Amino acid sequence: MLLFLDTEYTGLKQLPPKLISLALVSEDGQREFYVELSDTWQMDDCSEFVRREVVPLLQGEALGSSEARAKLIRWLADAPREVQVACDSARDFGFLLEMLGDARPRNLRLSYYDLRPLIDSNVYHQAVMRYYEDDRREHHALVDARAYRKGWLAWMDKLKASRSR
């Protein structure tokens, strides 16, 4: 089963970038995980873009990294079968692995499904943009993960239709 991942972090040029929030949405849409972190970043760490576009979307119920890690490990371990992360950034996947540390659940594959090739397809891009018409909180990790799922589903539907011809 795929888990669509997105993260928000302090910025592309902030070295090292620091994780702000992380979200996962299951392929079937039945399970979601979202966490904001309280002890990994400060406002001074953030780029102007992140201050303007990401921080206002935060919900304010942040957890410390140890508590967030334990919650994530439990959520992943409760998945009904093996899972593979789908994301459009190796950095996002790296943040997930970093958050898990040595406690990576056995049902999590160590490679991710790369969504980047789909981004340039009209069907994927249009489905993602339609999602943002309904939920305008682009750059919120959970909203973005849901949008990526919708884009992937639309792309898969088109692929299946083309194969059945």
Side-chain angles (χ1 to χ4, degrees):
M1 174 175 27
L2 289 179
L3 298 175
F4 295 88
L5 166 70
D6 190 55
T7 68
E8 301 301 337
Y9 49 91
T10 53
L12 291 171
K13 296 180 181 175
Q14 280 48 38
L15 297 176
K18 298 174 183 174
L19 184 62
I20 296 172
S21 62
L22 180 142
L24 292 158
V25 175
S26 64
E27 181 178 333
D28 63 6
Q30 298 299 306
R31 300 181 72 234
E32 295 183 338
F33 177 87
Y34 177 71
V35 67
E36 293 174 7
L37 298 162
S38 62
D39 59 355
T40 55
W41 66 283
Q42 298 176 23
M43 189 66 76
D44 289 345
D45 299 326
C46 298
S47 69
E48 185 56 38
F49 174 84
V50 171
R51 289 180 198 191
R52 184 181 66 247
E53 301 293 331
V54 174
V55 172
L57 301 176
L58 297 176
Q59 298 166 326
E61 298 176 21
L63 299 178
S65 53
S66 295
E67 187 178 355
R69 173 181 290 115
K71 186 177 172 183
L72 175 61
I73 291 166
R74 282 191 307 273
W75 189 86
L76 286 168
D78 286 343
R81 57 186 176 276
E82 183 180 64
V83 294
Q84 182 176 25
V85 169
C87 57
D88 63 1
S89 165
R91 181 168 306 209
D92 287 349
F93 190 62
F95 276 129
L96 175 72
L97 294 178
E98 183 180 307
M99 192 169 168
L100 291 169
D102 293 334
R104 181 186 62 85
R106 292 178 182 224
N107 64 333
L108 177 66
R109 284 193 197 165
L110 275 180
S111 62
Y112 69 95
Y113 180 94
D114 192 354
L115 294 172
R116 286 178 297 178
L118 306 183
I119 291 171
D120 292 331
S121 71
N122 284 337
V123 67
Y124 178 90
H125 179 74
Q126 288 171 359
V128 168
M129 291 298 107
R130 276 193 306 276
Y131 189 84
Y132 290 135
E133 289 173 9
D134 294 333
D135 191 335
R136 298 190 182 276
R137 296 176 296 158
E138 185 175 2
H139 305 301
H140 182 284
L142 182 57
V143 173
D144 292 350
R146 289 172 180 162
Y148 301 161
R149 175 183 169 267
K150 289 291 188 179
W152 181 82
L153 289 171
W155 182 80
M156 288 298 291
D157 286 347
K158 183 175 181 183
L159 183 64
K160 288 176 187 174
S162 69
R163 288 182 178 167
S164 65
R165 290 182 193 168

